[in-house]
Each structure stands twice: as C-alpha cells, then as structure tokens.
Amino acid sequence: MAALSKEIDIKITNAEFERFRDFFYRKTGIRFEDSKRYFVDKRLVERIKKTSSNSFRDYFTSMRFQASGEELQQLINIMTVNETYFFRESHQFDCMVEELLDEIVRTQNKTELKIWSVPSSTGEEPYSIAIYLMEKWPGINHVDVELLSSDIDSSVLEKAKAGIFNERSVQNLSPALRKKYFNKTEFGLYQATDDLRSCVHFSKVNLNEQKDMQKYRDIDLIFCRNVLIYFDDYSRRNVAEALYDALSPGGYIFLGHSESMSRISSLFKIRKFKDALAYQKPIE
C-alpha cells in the first residue's frame, strides 16, 4: 500500500491548510497569506508523497510527533525561499567599508568586530561581505573580524559551506575577483577558495526562537535583509527585539530596501549615511 500512496490524488482542504499554516507560524514566525496557497499546497503534497503517507492527516500527525524533527526541517527547507547573488544591494556594503565600520572602531576604540549575516541563504551575502572587507576596507589589517552567518534552512547552510555557485550568482563579480576568490569546476561552476570559505562561520538559527537567539551577543553589525517581510507584525516585533539584544551598544543593522525598522520598533536610532540607511542600537 505504501508504494501505491504516491499515485493517490491528494488534495489539501481549506481546514488542513489553516491547520498547517497555524502550525508553521508557531514554529517559525512565518505566516503564509492566502495568495501563497498554491505554493504551500504543492510543497505539502510533495512531502506527503515523498514520505509515503496516505493523507494530510497521516502526514501531519507523523511529522508533528517525530522525535528527531527531521521532517519538520525538510518542510522548513522547501517552504523558505532562497534566491540571492553576490554584491546584492551593494550600496550597503559600500557604506560598511567606507563609513560604518570606521565609525564603530573610532568611537568605541574596538580592536575586534563581529558581523552577522542572517539569513545566509546559499552563502552569497556572507561571502560578499568577506570579499568587501578584504578588498575595500583598510581596517582589516588592524582589526580582527569574526564573520558569522545563519539560516533556518539546513539544506542551504550545507550549500553555503560548500561554496559552489552558478554563473548567475557571480554575475556582478569582475573577472579579477572571480579568479582571485573562486576556482572554476569541471561543470562550469564557481567554488569559493578555501581561504574565502574559512572566513565565515555558518550555523542554524530560527530568528523566532529565543533559545537560538540567545547565542548571539555583542554583534557590531547585522545584515538581516529581506526576511522580516515574511513575518506578521507580532513576529516582526519579537525578532526586532531579539536583534536589538544581539547588538552591542552602538551596533548597527541593515535591512532590505523594502523593510523599515521604524515601522516595527522604536528601540533603534535611524542613521543616514552617504550610501545607505542603517538602524543603530543607542549607546547607553
């Protein structure tokens, strides 16, 4: 019967969609709007068939009570969208190396800095930060930088650690940078050099999970771009407060171009730099 279950025409009812949506929201803080119904249904049916379940009810019950949590992680992996490329929204990287980091070092007399990129996706953002630091920030010769990167999706974290990218991902990199920081594979892909990959420490994190967020403290600069748009107002406020706690006094956070911290939380001070807008944790 298990083999035949893949041929069953499985439909997700409205009640089942609501039940799953509420469950996923409680676990991740991400709420799917009705407009995402087709996207959610398609991926749910994919997992139901993949696990040889006979119905949503069987699958949902099994997934919820699975001790290892592996199937929940599989769901998170396929339900979260990961699309990015090197030097995306590069004006923020320019701001980082031309103004922001120098200000932090100067005003707080820092000899060590922590930068956190979340979500990491497949690694383009944290590796972009590393390249910018090595290529464009003279302070890298005098300041120790710890570069962290996290994601809720375990599969993209493995891809990020491997550091293998297609032509689209590296389209904004000059030939010189491609040659310096990547090795061309036999399949025409680009693999980050060992030196570049060693610059970033990857880890799994759920921004909406307090025990995960407590691991991150004394961060000087956070890149948290294009993720808050997937949360509702309540979850956004929770995440904003957790990011605030993660920052050192005087630390900064960059958001995506369509996101605004001022509409989420009053904890941060808005700072306008030449190339970008950032949100600062006030120095007490």
Side-chain angles (χ1 to χ4, degrees):
M1 291 296 292
L4 293 176
S5 66
K6 295 185 179 181
E7 305 303 322
I8 296 174
D9 184 20
I10 297 171
K11 300 289 186 183
I12 308 298
T13 68
N14 291 338
E16 289 169 342
F17 173 73
E18 290 291 343
R19 190 178 181 193
F20 172 76
R21 176 162 64 176
D22 290 344
F23 169 81
F24 199 79
Y25 172 71
R26 289 195 305 273
K27 290 294 184 181
T28 67
I30 298 172
R31 178 172 289 280
F32 294 114
E33 300 299 329
D34 290 339
S35 60
K36 294 287 188 180
R37 176 67 187 270
Y38 175 78
F39 170 88
V40 172
D41 283 11
K42 183 178 179 182
R43 281 153 183 77
L44 265 178
V45 170
E46 176 185 323
R47 291 310 304 170
I48 291 170
K49 292 182 176 181
K50 189 78 172 179
T51 56
S52 298
S53 300
N54 292 307
S55 66
F56 170 84
R57 181 179 179 179
D58 290 345
Y59 170 78
F60 191 64
T61 300
S62 174
M63 180 267 296
R64 286 177 61 206
F65 295 103
Q66 184 184 42
S68 67
E70 289 182 20
E71 185 55 30
L72 173 59
Q73 186 61 58
Q74 289 291 336
L75 265 180
I76 290 172
N77 292 353
I78 65 171
M79 291 291 180
T80 50
V81 179
N82 299 283
E83 183 179 3
T84 185
Y85 48 87
F86 279 84
F87 292 6
R88 185 179 185 183
E89 297 187 38
S90 60
H91 61 285
Q92 292 180 337
F93 299 138
D94 291 328
C95 177
M96 173 184 70
V97 297
E98 293 174 9
E99 300 181 87
L100 195 147
L101 293 184
D102 286 334
E103 179 189 292
I104 292 175
V105 171
R106 183 179 68 253
T107 60
Q108 301 185 49
N109 197 29
K110 292 250 186 179
T111 57
E112 298 179 354
L113 292 174
K114 279 187 183 180
I115 300 175
W116 186 22
S117 167
V118 57
S120 71
S121 186
T122 45
E124 286 88 341
E125 178 170 284
Y127 289 132
S128 291
I129 295 170
I131 293 172
Y132 253 79
L133 291 173
M134 291 186 285
E135 291 291 316
K136 299 190 176 188
W137 189 49
I140 197 68
N141 297 314
H142 315 289
V143 178
D144 290 329
V145 178
E146 184 178 3
L147 181 51
L148 310 172
S149 192
S150 310
D151 205 288
I152 194 173
D153 184 337
S154 59
S155 65
V156 298
L157 282 172
E158 290 306 311
K159 291 177 182 177
K161 292 174 184 177
I164 300 175
F165 305 96
N166 59 27
E167 185 72 34
R168 182 185 180 282
S169 289
V170 301
Q171 62 184 327
N172 291 337
L173 298 180
S174 68
L177 289 179
R178 295 188 194 189
K179 184 176 181 180
K180 184 174 182 179
Y181 292 104
F182 298 86
N183 297 314
K184 201 77 174 284
T185 75
E186 59 181 312
F187 303 107
L189 300 174
Y190 296 83
Q191 180 164 34
T193 61
D194 291 343
D195 286 344
L196 179 57
R197 283 185 285 150
S198 69
C199 291
V200 186
H201 175 69
F202 291 99
S203 61
K204 183 173 169 291
V205 70
N206 182 343
L207 290 174
N208 214 48
E209 192 68 55
Q210 187 178 14
K211 63 179 176 61
D212 282 4
M213 294 298 287
Q214 287 175 341
K215 302 172 187 175
Y216 299 89
R217 289 294 183 266
D218 303 319
I219 309 295
D220 296 290
L221 174 60
I222 299 174
F223 285 83
C224 185
R225 309 193 297 184
N226 306 310
V227 65
L228 295 180
I229 54 176
Y230 295 105
F231 297 142
D232 66 0
D233 290 342
Y234 176 78
S235 295
R236 285 192 195 105
R237 284 193 297 272
N238 283 345
V239 172
E241 290 173 5
L243 292 173
Y244 182 88
D245 290 340
L247 283 171
S248 291
Y252 288 91
I253 183 169
F254 281 125
L255 298 181
H257 70 277
S258 63
E259 299 169 312
S260 172
M261 189 65 80
S262 59
R263 293 198 295 266
I264 302 170
S265 171
S266 59
L267 292 171
F268 297 84
K269 177 182 178 182
I270 301 175
R271 290 292 308 276
K272 294 181 179 179
F273 293 92
K274 176 172 63 72
D275 293 313
L277 187 73
Y279 301 91
Q280 185 180 31
K281 179 176 182 175
I283 300 176
E284 299 174 353

